[in-house]
Amino acid sequence: DNMRPSHVASGEMNFEKLCVGLMQERPEMFDQEQAVRENWIQQLVDLVTLCLFLSASYALHYEATSTGAVKEQARQRMQNFRLCVARIQSEAVRWCLTIQSRYFAGCSTPDIGEILHRLLFMAPIDAYFSSGEGPTDYDYTVFNLLQSDIPVLEVTIHDVIRLTNVHPSLPRNFALHIV
């Protein structure tokens, strides 16, 4: 019900609850073959980043179309949006640290660096679009917002540092790239 276009367009959609809910541990995934788990993780990362794109799109639209006294509300809403995305990204890093790594215990893990780059919007924009048409100008605007205007929470940096100790494929200075 929350995914109805009217909820997204009106700002009633709680993307934070949705994304955090998606990143909960799924015990049934432990019993799946490695290929299924890898596909599931990639699809989950795609879904979380899509949710962040949708929420950013709404925030930008609301700010751009607000005038007069509503403009201050729009600025506050944009600030709340930035903090919401920062919290979702922090949860995503924590998910990579605590849950995702357990799905791949004993087998080769997918490139955690690539997953983190996508969740933190450090990957090139083409990594988020699979259709042949590619990103539009508006997609670039939304992407730039997600890539450059979102604060990085201290807990996110701590978890990334912990991830570099758990995943040897991550360079030791990976956390420096995030800040």
Side-chain angles (χ1 to χ4, degrees), residues 25 27 71 78 97 111 125 130 138 140 150:
E25 184 172 324
K71 194 71 169 170
M78 183 59 87
L97 177 65
D111 185 2
I125 191 169
S130 60
Y138 188 72
Y140 278 101
I150 304 301

Side-chain angles (χ1 to χ4, degrees), residues 45-111:
V45 169
D46 288 345
L47 189 54
V48 169
T49 56
L50 175 64
C51 287
L52 292 174
F53 264 94
L54 285 172
S55 67
S57 181
Y58 167 74
L60 280 172
H61 175 75
Y62 185 78
E63 186 178 54
T65 58
S66 298
T67 59
V70 180
K71 194 71 169 170
E72 185 56 37
Q73 282 181 320
R75 282 190 198 104
Q76 183 59 45
R77 219 179 238 198
M78 183 59 87
Q79 181 59 26
N80 292 342
F81 157 76
R82 287 181 178 106
L83 292 174
C84 175
V85 171
R87 288 190 303 269
I88 292 170
Q89 288 178 326
S90 182
E91 284 297 320
V93 171
R94 171 112 353 121
W95 174 78
C96 287
L97 177 65
T98 60
I99 296 173
Q100 185 269 353
S101 59
R102 290 200 325 247
Y103 289 125
F104 292 98
C107 55
S108 64
T109 61
D111 185 2

Side-chain angles (χ1 to χ4, degrees), residues 46 53 118 122-136 139-140 143 147:
D46 288 345
F53 264 94
R118 288 183 58 217
M122 297 170 63
I125 191 169
D126 294 335
Y128 302 94
F129 294 90
S130 60
S131 69
E133 297 174 19
T136 65
D139 294 330
Y140 278 101
F143 180 74
Q147 191 176 47

